[in-house]
Structure formats: C-alpha cells, structure tokens
Amino acid sequence: MKITTPFIQLNALLKLLGWVETGGEANAVIDQGMVKVNGEAETRRRNKIYPGTTVELGNNKITIQ
C-alpha cells in the first residue's frame, strides 16, 4: 500500500485497509497485541507508520510504501 502523507497512525491504517470495520475494533486488536509492526507486537494505537514498515494482523501482511 502506498501512502501520500509522511506517516499514518496504526489504528487508522487498519481501518483504511479494511482489516477491521471500526476504529473501536482497531483499538481492541491493537490493545490485545494482535498487530505486529516489523515483526514485533505493537500496542500503541497511534503509532506512526512510515513507508518501509511492515504491518501484520492474522493472515494479513502489508509493507507500506
């Protein structure tokens, strides 16, 4: 996925990708440690995701460009 801004917040990215339906659901999966950023569990909801970062949730995996 390519973003047109310098970064995107993790919870907004999950919603944009359609991996979750709501912001509340995004926050819940992040709080539960279900999301990985560059292979590490991430619990910061508003973590800034920059190009080159890999994000995973379940069987979904994407690298931001």
Side-chain angles (χ1 to χ4, degrees):
M1 166 173 223
K2 185 170 184 161
I3 59 174
T4 58
T5 57
F7 65 86
I8 186 169
Q9 292 180 353
L10 180 57
N11 54 0
L13 175 64
L14 297 179
K15 195 172 163 189
L16 179 67
L17 291 170
W19 292 359
V20 296
E21 292 185 18
T22 65
E25 186 180 352
N27 291 339
V29 296
I30 294 167
D31 290 346
Q32 294 169 23
M34 296 172 63
V35 179
K36 291 184 179 180
V37 175
N38 292 331
E40 300 283 330
E42 181 57 71
T43 57
R44 294 174 292 171
R45 298 175 179 182
R46 297 178 188 262
N47 183 24
K48 294 177 182 174
I49 304 299
Y50 295 93
T53 303
T54 299
V55 179
E56 301 175 58
L57 175 60
N59 293 329
N60 298 310
K61 183 176 182 178
I62 193 165
T63 300
I64 306 303
Q65 298 178 7

